[in-house]
Amino acid sequence: MSAQPVNPDLPPDHVTVFIDGVEMAAPKGSMIIHAADKAGIPIPRFCYHDKLSIAANCRMCLVDTEVGGRSAPKPSPACATPVMDGLKVFTRNDKALKAQRNVMEFLLINHPLDCPICDQGGECELQDLSLGYGRSVSRFSERKRVVADEDMGPLVATEMTRCIQCTRCVRFTAEVAGTYELGGMQRGENLQIGTYDGKPLTTELSGNVIDVCPVGALTNKVFRFRARPWELIAKESLGFHDALGSNLFLHLRRGDVMRAVPRDNEAVNECWLSDRDRYSHQGLYAEDRATVPLVRVASNGDAGDWREASWDEALAKAAQILRDNGADNLGVLVHPATSNEEGALLARLAEGLGTGNLDHRIAQRDLSDGATATQFATPVAEIEQADAIVIVGSNLRHEVPLLHQRVRKAWKQGARVHVVNPVDFEFAFDIASKAIVAPSKLADALGSTELARAVEGANHVAVILGAVAENGMHAAAIRAAAADFAKRANGTLNRIPQGANALGLSRLGVLPTTRDANAMLAEPRAAYVIHGIEPGLDFADQAAAMKALGGAQVVAFSHFACASTRRVADVILPIATLFENDATLANLDGREQRAVAAGKLPGDARQGWKVLRALGGELGLPGFEFTDLAGLRAGISARDVAVQAGAAPQAGQGGLELAVSQAIYRVDGLTRRAAALQAHPLTVGPRVTLHPQDASAAGLSEGAMAKVSNGSGTATLQVGISDSVAPGAAWVESGYGATAALGGGRVEVEAA
């Protein structure tokens, strides 16, 4: 006869346990440490992490257990001991404390006494627990072991002598990142953690090993020796290099941003942060940062002759340009990472000046269907519950790293992932089926019977449409085909917004009623306002952009006074980046998230909404009467705009189709100026990659230099050869000056 449950009123999948005399219900199959954490009862641990598999190798969480009046003969690891009905757990009795103190003594045997120079000092789990569980003297008299460090790249610093072999970093790279780059080598006292081959970490999530490391073995190389944790002030902010909007804290010392760390949000980024969001703050302190208003004096070569000006003079000059060139003579071009506050004011500015030439879709070539950003039909947190996922036109691992990680979680739970792409991009999960075709054939591939059969029988099909498709020459056809496929498969269409706040700007009506971004540049206006844009790298067609802007009067709200901005602008108004701004952004789920001003503004720069408020006041426009941020936010509301559909782009004839993806660390001005990210192995530099048969036809070999040209321009690029590229396509990454010259469409490739 089976024993009766201690509490018969509990659900059948729960049991009753007693921890330090506290009665509680716990799910069957869960571990003691789960129940204790839920009840707020502390149990020391090192190897356990609630997002990683259980390793039970540090033994710091040893507790005393008792069942049916019989005590276990030896302490049990709380992280690996399942609960059972009537189980009694003692975390603080003599038996448990003695075991925990003995484990701590063993952990400290080889640990160096270098806390004063360790970057983890002040926020070290080993330091904290040794205070409570460590002995005042060591009985170990032998020599401590020393482990040679290896260079893990420009982001993560190593001091592996401090490592306590908790294997959190090993499990992170294997289970979450999916790159299996770290492991344990040798055995016993000689066990050490490393990469084995001595190569840098290549995962786009490598900085998270710093967060999971409980000691000072893995630390932030960019932050190293710059400040102590108790000197830092934390400010809530957001990642703005993709549409996920990862939650993070910026840590400041005397107003300077020292580092970024993740802020937990299970619905967005869980407890992780991509390297792009973690290290981009380096770009805040670039040499060409815009710090003071600049006014063009006279033309002197491409960049012109500039002088510093007061804010009053610069705003008066900008206002005069806008007064002289209102209505249809004016175009307003906005970076898609611009905040809601600034976007709302730009829409008011355009309306007050009588122009319908307003757009934030500056990197998209095909707007012939009038498409704007839409929120995910399946929230990010639910993507991992899908049983079939179709990735269309996206290098997802580089485009939205933590969305890629969600897809990996779905795959680990049994989901089948299918891919329709012009390049067989590298993913951290197995692909059930793939169609690698030239960009013009992506829409046809979505309508194939093979793909329809591949997802047949799936209960939850999630289609993810990314930047390669959205920004390409055939975007409208691919969007229509993806929507049709999702409908036929009874699935959801999830289009990744092309910009950190593309969805928010679309809601606020930062959209054209007359000319879209492409039309504004193809049919040059007499004057432009550009906001947050680096003109030489951020547009879909750089040649057309530089030509149109170069022949007009331009008011530039800019984070950087770079060469391309100086070449086209007449007035440069220095504004804050998001890390220095009070701002609201809408992420790909439609979630409105706020960042607070963190880093101090450089020089005489100002928050963008304040500059726009001053300019609107100078022009005497309605809607600029507020006096503070609260007043501005109170007046912001969604605007329905009848978006003007654009002209279909002409891809041209002959040659190879250009397949363009974003270089992971070249997506905006801040990442391009982060030295550590530019030194990362994933920053491969400008190049063109061809299918072997196309390279052979052009007489090109691996590493050779090729001249790549089309109607937009010509680039001389190093050649890569890979059968991962679809025949008939040439793959380049955007964000580099060399590849920016090509625009879109077809290209001719020949030996340089």
Side-chain angles (χ1 to χ4, degrees):
M1 175 183 270
S2 61
Q4 294 298 312
V6 174
N7 185 351
D9 295 330
L10 286 181
D13 59 344
H14 281 63
V15 296
T16 300
V17 295
F18 302 86
I19 303 181
D20 291 341
V22 179
E23 180 180 343
M24 64 191 69
K28 288 181 179 178
S30 64
M31 303 298 159
I32 292 172
I33 204 167
H34 298 148
D37 285 352
K38 188 175 181 181
I41 298 172
I43 295 178
R45 82 288 301 269
F46 289 114
C47 69
Y48 175 78
H49 189 286
D50 61 0
K51 292 291 184 181
L52 304 174
S53 64
I54 292 171
N57 57 359
C58 79
R59 317 309 279 186
M60 192 65 216
C61 65
L62 290 175
V63 294
D64 188 19
T65 58
E66 179 184 307
V67 181
R70 297 179 60 187
S71 179
K74 58 183 181 179
S76 306
C79 68
T81 304
V83 296
M84 61 182 71
D85 202 40
L87 176 70
K88 293 183 178 180
V89 180
F90 305 94
T91 70
R92 305 287 296 171
N93 67 3
D94 288 343
K95 187 175 179 180
L97 287 174
K98 183 179 179 181
Q100 292 163 359
R101 285 171 178 156
N102 286 340
V103 169
M104 177 58 71
E105 184 177 14
F106 273 108
L107 288 173
L108 293 176
I109 276 176
N110 279 311
H111 198 79
L113 298 175
D114 63 351
C115 295
I117 62 165
C118 177
D119 253 7
Q120 198 84 345
E123 53 188 4
C124 173
E125 294 176 47
L126 182 63
Q127 218 174 34
D128 294 342
L129 290 179
S130 66
L131 184 65
Y133 298 91
R135 302 180 189 272
S136 58
V137 295
S138 173
R139 294 179 287 175
F140 186 73
S141 59
E142 289 81 5
R143 177 178 294 179
K144 290 177 180 282
R145 78 168 192 164
V146 176
V147 179
D149 288 325
E150 59 177 282
D151 188 355
M152 291 190 184
L155 307 183
V156 179
T158 58
E159 289 285 348
M160 300 312 291
T161 301
R162 300 171 184 155
C163 178
I164 61 171
Q165 293 88 46
C166 71
T167 70
R168 282 187 185 179
C169 60
V170 175
R171 284 174 284 147
F172 173 81
T173 58
E175 298 165 11
V176 180
T179 54
Y180 301 90
E181 294 179 85
L182 293 173
M185 295 169 285
Q186 304 186 50
R187 302 180 68 184
E189 184 188 15
N190 296 320
L191 174 64
Q192 54 186 275
I193 304 299
T195 62
Y196 184 72
D197 59 6
K199 294 181 179 178
L201 296 178
T202 59
T203 171
E204 65 285 355
L205 305 176
S206 66
N208 292 289
V209 301
I210 299 164
D211 299 328
V212 300
C213 182
V215 296
L218 302 173
T219 55
N220 187 325
K221 187 174 279 190
V222 172
F223 174 68
R224 201 177 194 195
F225 304 143
R226 297 194 65 200
R228 284 298 194 183
W230 54 83
E231 299 178 287
L232 304 176
I233 296 173
K235 296 282 189 177
E236 294 184 357
S237 194
L238 302 169
F240 59 99
H241 309 301
D242 58 47
L244 183 62
S246 294
N247 290 203
L248 56 86
F249 285 110
L250 293 175
H251 286 172
L252 289 80
R253 181 173 179 265
R254 299 172 187 168
D256 292 330
V257 178
M258 294 282 109
R259 66 177 177 183
V261 297
R263 178 161 50 100
D264 290 3
N265 188 330
E266 286 296 312
V268 183
N269 56 305
E270 301 179 87
C271 60
W272 312 122
L273 203 59
S274 70
D275 290 344
R276 190 163 59 191
D277 290 331
R278 186 183 297 268
Y279 294 100
S280 65
H281 65 84
Q282 263 196 311
L284 294 172
Y285 308 106
E287 290 184 2
D288 63 348
R289 186 70 199 273
T291 60
V292 65
L294 297 173
V295 174
R296 184 187 290 275
V297 177
S299 179
N300 181 19
D302 288 338
D305 191 11
W306 292 84
R307 66 174 175 83
E308 296 181 0
S310 66
W311 271 107
D312 287 343
E313 181 187 358
L315 287 170
K317 174 72 172 176
Q320 189 60 51
I321 291 173
L322 299 184
R323 285 193 196 97
D324 294 344
N325 299 281
D328 196 40
N329 289 325
L330 177 66
V332 181
L333 296 160
V334 183
H335 195 282
T338 299
S339 69
N340 284 345
E341 290 79 3
E342 293 161 284
L345 293 180
L346 286 160
R348 292 179 196 175
L349 182 71
E351 185 176 22
L353 294 170
T355 182
N357 305 323
L358 167 69
D359 208 351
H360 69 275
R361 301 166 300 168
I362 58 174
Q364 296 180 251
R365 293 176 176 83
D366 185 3
L367 299 171
S368 58
D369 56 351
T372 60
T374 58
Q375 74 183 57
F376 267 30
T378 299
V380 165
E382 296 176 18
I383 289 285
E384 61 196 63
Q385 299 167 15
D387 52 3
I389 298 173
V390 183
I391 299 172
V392 182
S394 176
N395 185 1
L396 189 62
R397 185 171 166 183
H398 289 189
E399 187 175 353
V400 190
L402 289 175
L403 175 57
H404 170 268
Q405 186 264 332
R406 295 274 192 177
V407 175
R408 175 173 165 79
K409 288 179 73 175
W411 167 76
K412 289 175 67 177
Q413 294 171 28
R416 292 170 62 82
V417 184
H418 310 273
V419 170
V420 180
N421 257 334
V423 180
D424 191 5
F425 295 115
E426 184 179 350
F427 299 109
F429 39 76
D430 294 336
I431 304 300
S433 73
K434 62 180 72 171
I436 307 301
V437 297
S440 63
K441 298 177 182 175
L442 290 177
D444 293 338
L446 283 166
S448 70
T449 56
E450 290 85 353
L451 186 59
R453 287 176 187 155
V455 301
E456 195 171 355
N459 296 317
H460 183 182
V461 179
V463 181
I464 299 175
L465 189 65
V468 178
E470 288 277 3
N471 297 340
M473 301 291 286
H474 310 279
I478 298 169
R479 283 190 285 262
D484 183 59
F485 171 79
K487 184 177 180 181
R488 286 186 285 109
N490 197 27
T492 59
L493 177 61
N494 306 282
R495 293 174 47 226
I496 300 173
Q498 295 308 298
N501 197 35
L503 185 57
L505 296 174
S506 295
R507 288 173 172 175
L508 294 173
V510 185
L511 292 165
T513 55
T514 309
R515 290 177 177 81
D516 62 28
N518 295 328
M520 277 185 248
L521 300 175
E523 305 165 19
R525 305 294 90 199
Y528 294 90
V529 172
I530 60 174
H531 190 281
I533 295 171
E534 190 168 357
L537 292 171
D538 287 338
F539 287 104
D541 189 336
Q542 297 300 146
M546 294 302 288
K547 181 179 179 182
L549 295 172
Q553 291 184 289
V554 175
V555 176
F557 292 77
S558 187
H559 309 125
F560 301 98
C562 61
S564 64
T565 302
R566 289 172 178 265
R567 192 174 303 136
V568 301
D570 293 276
V571 182
I572 298 177
L573 305 174
I575 59 172
T577 67
L578 186 88
F579 287 161
E580 303 148 337
N581 214 358
D582 292 295
T584 308
L585 277 68
N587 80 342
L588 47 73
D589 279 341
R591 186 183 301 270
E592 298 262 336
Q593 303 186 116
R594 281 192 180 176
V596 299
K600 66 183 178 184
L601 287 162
D604 210 20
R606 297 287 184 270
Q607 292 194 30
W609 68 267
K610 292 183 177 181
V611 181
L612 284 162
R613 160 68 183 87
L615 181 59
E618 182 83 17
L619 291 165
L621 300 179
F624 292 85
E625 297 83 9
F626 59 91
T627 57
D628 57 17
L629 185 61
L632 165 58
R633 285 175 170 163
I636 294 177
S637 60
R639 296 172 68 240
D640 289 326
V641 174
V643 181
Q644 185 71 27
Q650 300 300 312
Q653 300 293 322
L656 302 175
E657 292 186 43
L658 202 59
V660 183
S661 66
Q662 291 178 320
I664 182 171
Y665 299 136
R666 306 281 301 179
V667 296
D668 54 36
L670 211 61
T671 56
R672 293 172 199 135
R673 290 166 174 80
L677 295 179
Q678 297 312 303
H680 194 275
L682 292 180
T683 304
V684 297
R687 59 188 303 172
V688 58
T689 307
L690 309 173
H691 189 276
Q693 68 186 40
D694 294 321
S696 177
L700 295 168
S701 58
E702 180 80 28
M705 299 303 293
K707 186 171 73 172
V708 186
S709 58
N710 60 12
S712 296
T714 300
T716 302
L717 303 172
Q718 188 176 35
V719 175
I721 300 176
S722 173
D723 55 11
S724 65
V725 179
W731 172 38
V732 300
E733 289 187 322
S734 64
Y736 296 103
T739 59
L742 296 174
R746 292 177 173 270
V747 292
E748 297 288 343
V749 182
E750 58 186 355

